[in-house]
Amino acid sequence: MNFTGVLFGNMERSSAGSEQTSRQVLSMLSGGKKALYFGDEAVTPAVLREAGYDVTALITDENRAEKAGAQFVKSYEIPESAAECDVFWCASAAEVEAPAVRLSQLKERCKKGGVVVYRTLCWLIEPSPDTVSFCKKRFGIITPLDKVLLAAKQAGFAVQDFYISPRSDWTDGFYRPLLKAAEDFICLHEEEASSVGMRELQKEADMFELHCEEYSYVYYILKG
């Protein structure tokens, strides 16, 4: 049994975030009629629809996609349909390629003159060695905020703005519900559940508490 897989499947999202942050980022956009969302949760597509966008949602978690009536996608490749949309909201939970590669792909696929919201995990300040070691194992590629800005410009984007996901997106929006779900699961499935999995989740939450000023998701608002 995949302990964390079961937990994430029953949660609203599988990475830090919140409806408030989605609304804040949306308020920083300059309009448009058609939007494409590509990410791990269904809250942002609902916020976009509420704002009047015609939204197509591609969700990388099967359970959440089914609940939202959205398309489930396994691939993390940038969809060709991005070229048809005024706004393309790309919210990766973890990067498997360097931001420069991802940004180049986004520039090739996005609509000329359209807006791309690119969310990626960034170092906000110089991280401690312990943080680097832990976060690379957990999240994969993490790039300093300023280097992503530079990569976006080199890819041909005009950088309009950016927004740093607040601490509450991690604590209230992710770790508290995740740890509560883990406790409930262990109570119901005591014989099957692994205490090791629970310790790993708590270790991750504790790491963020200790080093929350060093890293977070950053939403880059880019003009194609």
Side-chain angles (χ1 to χ4, degrees):
M1 176 180 293
N2 187 327
F3 180 56
T4 55
V6 171
L7 297 181
F8 286 159
N10 291 322
M11 288 179 60
E12 182 180 78
R13 60 184 73 245
S14 56
S15 59
S18 67
E19 181 178 338
Q20 182 179 3
T21 287
S22 294
R23 292 187 182 281
Q24 176 61 38
V25 174
L26 176 61
S27 74
M28 300 163 71
L29 305 186
S30 55
K33 295 181 179 179
K34 192 171 184 180
L36 175 63
Y37 171 81
F38 181 52
D40 68 339
E41 44 89 7
V43 174
T44 301
V47 168
L48 287 164
R49 289 193 184 95
E50 185 183 312
Y53 285 91
D54 175 13
V55 181
T56 299
L58 308 179
I59 296 178
T60 56
D61 178 88
E62 191 168 9
N63 286 347
R64 284 187 284 276
E66 184 177 349
K67 289 176 183 177
Q71 183 179 344
F72 167 58
V73 289
K74 292 183 179 180
S75 172
Y76 285 89
E77 293 182 7
I78 305 301
E80 293 184 7
S81 53
E84 303 168 5
C85 298
D86 304 306
V87 173
F88 177 38
W89 193 305
C90 181
S92 299
E95 282 292 3
V96 295
E97 295 181 294
V101 175
R102 177 68 79 185
L103 286 161
S104 179
Q105 294 170 345
L106 286 167
K107 188 64 174 68
E108 289 176 1
R109 293 288 176 88
C110 78
K111 181 178 181 179
K112 185 175 177 58
V115 173
V116 172
V117 178
Y118 172 56
R119 184 188 84 150
T120 189
L121 189 62
C122 293
W123 299 122
L124 306 180
I125 62 173
E126 187 70 29
S128 65
D130 286 348
T131 314
V132 171
S133 177
F134 182 87
C135 288
K136 282 188 175 180
K137 290 177 182 177
R138 169 62 177 87
F139 299 109
I141 296 171
I142 307 176
T143 304
L145 187 156
D146 59 339
K147 288 191 176 181
V148 178
L149 287 172
L150 179 60
K153 293 174 183 177
Q154 291 175 337
F157 283 109
V159 179
Q160 294 188 320
D161 215 334
F162 65 88
Y163 180 76
I164 299 172
S165 190
R167 178 178 177 276
S168 58
D169 278 9
W170 294 80
T171 53
D172 299 341
F174 186 56
Y175 287 127
R176 284 177 188 166
L178 178 60
L179 292 171
K180 177 64 167 58
E183 290 174 359
D184 293 344
F185 182 86
I186 289 172
C187 287
L188 290 173
H189 305 276
E190 189 172 350
E191 293 181 359
E192 303 172 63
S194 168
S195 60
V196 174
M198 183 65 183
R199 287 197 299 271
E200 286 300 311
L201 294 178
Q202 187 63 61
K203 179 181 178 181
E204 182 181 328
D206 292 343
M207 175 63 74
F208 180 77
E209 284 288 347
L210 289 170
H211 302 281
C212 59
E213 76 283 358
E214 296 179 14
Y215 62 96
S216 191
Y217 285 105
V218 180
Y219 295 74
Y220 297 89
I221 300 172
L222 312 171
K223 189 71 172 287

